[in-house]
Amino acid sequence: MQPVGKYLVIIGVGIIVIGLLLWFAGDKLNWFGNLPGDVRVEKKNVKIFVPFTTMLLLSAVLSLLFWLFRKFF
């Protein structure tokens, strides 16, 4: 069970790092979710938000990071 504990600690540290980045740099990321191509519909009783462009950008960045991680480790 030691490898499972090691992976849980690594995941926990990763979540903490992401949380700290969002905490300290959150005000600089206000463009995220407001890109051209993100669909936002606001009616009287309904609000719909579908971030197509943001999802594509996030997917491309994560794919690149995972590819680099596999390439070098």
Side-chain angles (χ1 to χ4, degrees), residues 23-41:
W23 186 16
F24 290 117
D27 57 342
K28 293 171 182 57
L29 296 174
N30 58 359
W31 57 270
F32 196 70
N34 294 320
L35 297 171
D38 292 343
V39 177
R40 183 178 306 238
V41 177

Side-chain angles (χ1 to χ4, degrees), residues 1-71:
M1 284 301 250
Q2 287 182 347
V4 174
K6 180 180 172 182
Y7 294 136
L8 285 175
V9 169
I10 291 171
I11 291 170
V13 169
I15 290 173
I16 289 172
V17 168
I18 291 170
L20 287 172
L21 285 173
L22 289 175
W23 186 16
F24 290 117
D27 57 342
K28 293 171 182 57
L29 296 174
N30 58 359
W31 57 270
F32 196 70
N34 294 320
L35 297 171
D38 292 343
V39 177
R40 183 178 306 238
V41 177
E42 295 185 17
K43 300 277 183 168
K44 187 175 180 181
N45 295 326
V46 177
K47 291 184 181 180
I48 300 172
F49 176 63
V50 185
F52 288 122
T53 308
T54 302
M55 289 187 290
L56 286 172
L57 178 67
L58 187 61
S59 175
V61 169
L62 288 175
S63 295
L64 178 67
L65 288 175
F66 286 133
W67 178 79
L68 287 172
F69 183 77
R70 280 185 304 190
K71 180 102 172 143

